[in-house]
Amino acid sequence: MEYTTIEQLNKFESKTVELKGWVYNKRGSKGLFFIVLRDGTGLVQCVVNNGEVNEASWEVASSATQESAIIVQGVVNKDERQVGGYELQVTSLELVSIAEEYAISPKSHGVEFLMNHRHLWLRSRRQWAIMRIRNRIIMSIHNFFQESGFIQADAPILTGNAVEGTSTLFEIDYFGDPAYLTQSGQLYGEAMAMAFGKIYTFGPTFRAEKSKTRRHLTEFWMIEPEMAFYDLAMNMDLVEDFLVYLVKDVLADCSVELDVLERDIEALKRVEKPFPRVHYSEAVDLLKSDKTWDMISEEIAALKAEVPVLEAELADNKKRYGQAKKWEKKKIDAREIEINQRQEEIKESLRNLPEWQESARNFEWGSDFGGSDETLLTRHYDRPIIVHRYPAKIKAFYMKRDPEDDRLALGMDVLAPEGYGEIVGGGERATDITFLEDQIAAHNLPIEVFKWYLDLRRFGSVPHSGFGLGLERMVTWICGLSHVRETIPFPRLLGRLHP
RNA sequence: UCCUCGGUAGCUCAAUGGUAGAGCAUGCGGCUGUUAACCGCAGGGUUGUAGGUUCGAGUCCUACCCGGGGAGCCA
C-alpha cells in the first residue's frame, strides 16, 4: 500500500492506495456513501460500500462531517464521469478529526461573508484553481527571466522617501524617523541594473490610496525588470515575449484549473506576438472616434433589448409557480435569483455606459486614460495592446523624453484585453543628470533623498529601461475573474485587514 | 472625499403599506451509483441602528453604521 496524493492517482490505476485529506462533500443512502475527498492537490470521489468495509470504517463514513480530516484506503478506478477522472473504492477509513458545523456550505455565498472566512474559503475549488494558476505564473516569471540572463535582486520594502512623489504611501515610525512602505522598487532596480546588467525585483508593494474598485489592492506583488542598454523599443519587445511566455505556460499546465474557472481558453490562445503598438495620440483619436461611440451605442441597445426578455421570463415563471412540482419550484427560485442579479448588472451598465461614452468623446489630449477609457480602447483589439509615448506631465519624473516630441515621455503601458486594463507600466528612463535635477525640482521633490539616485547618472550613465507587472492583475486577467481580491491568499483592501 | 446600489433565519434570497416565506445548512427518518444527490418531518426572526409619518411599516421619510460597485489615483 502506498501513500499518495490525488494528483498522482493516474499512476496507481487498479492499485490500492492511501490518501489523507478532508471531506469536501458527502452524499449517500442507507448502505452507500459518496465522499468527495480534498487533499490540496485535487478532488476524488471515494465510494464507501457498507458490505465492503468493516464496522469502524462504516461508522467514520456515516459520522464524518464536511471538512472532517480522514485517511482513506482503497482501490483506484478510472471513471471518466468523475472529477479528476478517477474514483476510489474504499477498503478502510480512519478519522483524524471531526469538523464542527462548517460555515461555507456547498451553496452560494456573498462577498462579505466569504471575505470574512477567507482562511476557510481558500479550501474551495475555485480558490484552489486560482492559487495554482498564481503559482504557475510566479514560477514562469522566474523561469523567463532566469533563462534570459536576468538575476533577481530585491529592492527594500522600507524606504525613506516616496519614489514618485505622487501616490499616497503607508507611513510608519522608523526608530523615530518617518519611513514608508515601498510603492515601487523602480529606483533601486535602476541601481542594481547598473551593477548587474539585467535584473528583476519581485516583492510586495503598498499603496495607501483609497481606491475601492475591482482592480485595486493596498498590498500587492509586483515584478519589475530593469535592463541596462535597453531602449523603449527593446523594452516593448521584452514585455511582449514575457507575457506570451506566461500565457503559454498556463495554457500548457493549468487546463484543469482553467476548466474549473470556466475560462474562455480561446481568448488566451490569441495572446500571440505581435501586440498592437498604439501611440498615445492614436489612442486618443480612437477613443474620440465614431467607431468607439457606435460600439458603446450598440452595447447599450443590446442591454436594453435584454430587459423585456428577462421580465417576460420572470412573469412566466410566476404564472407556472403555483402548479409547479417541488423540484420545479426550486429551479424557478434559483432562476429568479439569477435574473435579479443579471438585471442589477444591466442597470449598472446602463448607468455607466453613457458616462463612459461621453467621457471618451470629450477626452482631451494630455490627460491620462481612466479605467473606462482603457476598457474601451482594448475592446477594439483581440489581444493585449501596448500604448506608448504618453504626455510627460502625467508620467513620473524619471521618464526619458521623446526626442521627436518634447511633450511626450518614452513610457509604455500594456493594457490587457477583455476589459482588464493596465497590467504593466514602464518605459525608458532619463539619462541626463541636469534634466533629472530639473524634473525633481519641477515635481516639488526633495533633491537630497535622490542624491544616490543621481549618482547613477554621474558614474557611467547609459540608456536603460524597465517595467512593472502587477501580479494580481495578471492573475485576474488570466483566470478571467471579476475582482483582484481572489488572486492573493489574504487580500488587503480598503477596509479589509482581517483575516 | 464624492456618486451609486444594497442590509430580512447560520448562508443565498422572496414578500402591490395589511397574518414575515423558500432553498441550502443543522437534527431526526427513508433510499445501494450519487454528481451543489433526492424524498418526508422538525427547530430556527427585535427585518443594520435610532427617530418620524400612518389605524397599520421589512416596505414611505430623516440621520447614522456596515458592505458592494464606480470616480479620482494606480499595477
Side-chain angles (χ1 to χ4, degrees), chain A residues 162-178:
Chain A
V163 171
E164 299 174 19
T166 49
S167 306
T168 317
L169 307 190
F170 287 104
E171 190 173 336
I172 59 160
D173 177 84
Y174 192 75
F175 304 111
D177 287 329

Side-chain angles (χ1 to χ4, degrees), chain A residues 151-401:
Chain A
I151 73 157
Q152 188 187 356
D154 294 309
I157 291 167
L158 294 172
T159 61
N161 61 285
V163 171
E164 299 174 19
T166 49
S167 306
T168 317
L169 307 190
F170 287 104
E171 190 173 336
I172 59 160
D173 177 84
Y174 192 75
F175 304 111
D177 287 329
Y180 306 90
L181 297 181
T182 182
Q183 61 142 337
S184 165
Q186 156 79 50
L187 302 187
Y188 298 99
E190 290 185 45
M192 296 186 287
M194 297 307 128
F196 311 111
K198 293 194 287 187
I199 64 98
Y200 66 108
T201 68
F202 194 151
T205 310
F206 308 86
R207 303 277 166 91
E209 271 114 14
K210 297 194 171 171
S211 301
K212 227 174 88 172
T213 82
R214 64 185 79 209
R215 299 185 304 280
H216 289 88
L217 294 166
T218 54
E219 176 184 307
F220 62 97
W221 288 68
M222 191 153 65
I223 297 89
E224 296 180 278
E226 191 71 35
M227 300 78 64
F229 301 105
Y230 266 54
D231 63 15
L232 180 68
M234 294 164 81
N235 199 18
M236 292 197 280
D237 288 342
L238 181 78
V239 76
E240 192 176 72
D241 286 336
F242 177 53
L243 294 176
V244 167
Y245 184 98
L246 299 187
V247 172
K248 279 213 155 50
D249 275 358
V250 171
L251 279 171
D253 294 344
C254 302
S255 53
V256 172
E257 290 85 348
L258 291 167
D259 191 47
V260 168
L261 297 169
E262 297 175 319
R263 181 66 167 107
D264 174 14
I265 305 288
E266 295 309 312
L268 293 179
K269 284 185 179 159
R270 287 193 292 265
V271 181
E272 287 281 358
K273 283 168 72 170
F275 294 171
R277 305 203 176 176
V278 187
H279 189 286
Y280 171 84
S281 297
E282 209 182 315
V284 173
D285 290 344
L286 180 56
L287 206 52
K288 296 171 74 82
S289 70
D290 291 343
K291 205 174 154 194
T292 298
W293 180 272
D294 294 344
M295 184 177 74
I296 306 171
S297 295
E298 274 168 36
E299 197 179 335
I300 291 173
L303 287 171
K304 280 187 176 159
E306 203 181 330
V307 175
V309 176
L310 290 173
E311 272 166 5
E313 191 187 341
L314 216 51
D316 186 54
N317 284 349
K318 216 158 222 173
K319 219 183 286 171
R320 288 193 301 138
Y321 200 80
Q323 291 136 33
K325 296 210 169 72
K326 193 167 178 189
W327 66 271
E328 286 175 316
K329 285 187 176 173
K330 276 167 92 165
K331 264 196 162 164
I332 293 172
D333 285 341
R335 181 65 188 147
E336 182 179 358
I337 291 171
E338 260 178 45
I339 292 175
N340 285 348
Q341 282 172 351
R342 179 64 190 149
Q343 282 180 327
E344 286 303 313
E345 274 174 33
I346 292 174
K347 263 194 228 165
E348 193 176 329
S349 295
L350 289 178
R351 271 196 304 268
N352 286 336
L353 285 170
E355 286 173 31
W356 291 13
Q357 199 172 27
E358 280 301 320
S359 115
R361 167 126 302 176
N362 299 327
F363 190 89
E364 281 179 33
W365 194 101
S367 313
D368 204 358
F369 300 122
S372 67
D373 302 320
E374 286 177 355
T375 301
L376 296 180
L377 280 177
T378 58
R379 280 198 199 163
H380 291 289
Y381 303 90
D382 68 344
R383 64 192 71 193
I385 63 172
I386 306 180
V387 181
H388 58 90
R389 293 179 168 78
Y390 284 80
K393 66 171 184 183
I394 57 167
K395 287 289 172 186
F397 76 90
Y398 50 70
M399 290 278 188
K400 188 180 175 74
R401 289 295 168 88

Side-chain angles (χ1 to χ4, degrees), chain A residues 78 83 166 309 477:
Chain A
K78 195 161 178 62
V83 246
T166 49
V309 176
W477 165 48

Side-chain angles (χ1 to χ4, degrees), chain A residues 9-124:
Chain A
L9 285 181
N10 58 358
K11 296 176 186 159
F12 295 92
E13 205 173 321
S14 304
K15 298 217 170 71
T16 303
V17 298
E18 180 175 277
L19 295 170
K20 300 179 185 182
W22 298 262
V23 176
Y24 190 71
N25 196 8
K26 190 177 90 173
R27 41 185 178 264
S29 52
K30 197 176 184 183
L32 189 68
F33 277 114
F34 299 96
I35 294 175
V36 178
L37 186 78
R38 171 182 78 73
D39 77 343
T41 72
L43 296 176
V44 66
Q45 174 164 280
C46 304
V47 184
V48 190
N49 195 315
N50 196 4
E52 292 172 27
V53 295
N54 64 27
E55 207 171 307
S57 292
W58 181 251
E59 177 53 29
V60 171
S62 358
S63 64
T65 52
Q66 191 188 355
E67 288 302 319
S68 288
I70 55 174
I71 297 172
V72 190
Q73 296 179 347
V75 181
V76 180
N77 291 324
K78 195 161 178 62
D79 187 341
E80 293 297 344
R81 292 169 303 177
Q82 305 305 335
V83 246
Y86 290 88
E87 184 179 76
L88 202 71
Q89 192 64 44
V90 175
T91 53
S92 106
L93 257 176
E94 187 189 327
L95 183 71
V96 178
S97 76
I98 193 95
E100 293 174 22
E101 189 181 334
Y102 192 62
I104 303 178
S105 67
K107 289 275 176 171
S108 65
H109 300 281
V111 172
E112 190 183 4
F113 177 82
L114 288 170
M115 288 295 284
N116 286 336
H117 295 85
R118 182 60 175 169
H119 52 300
L120 302 177
W121 186 21
L122 285 170
R123 303 180 183 194
S124 301

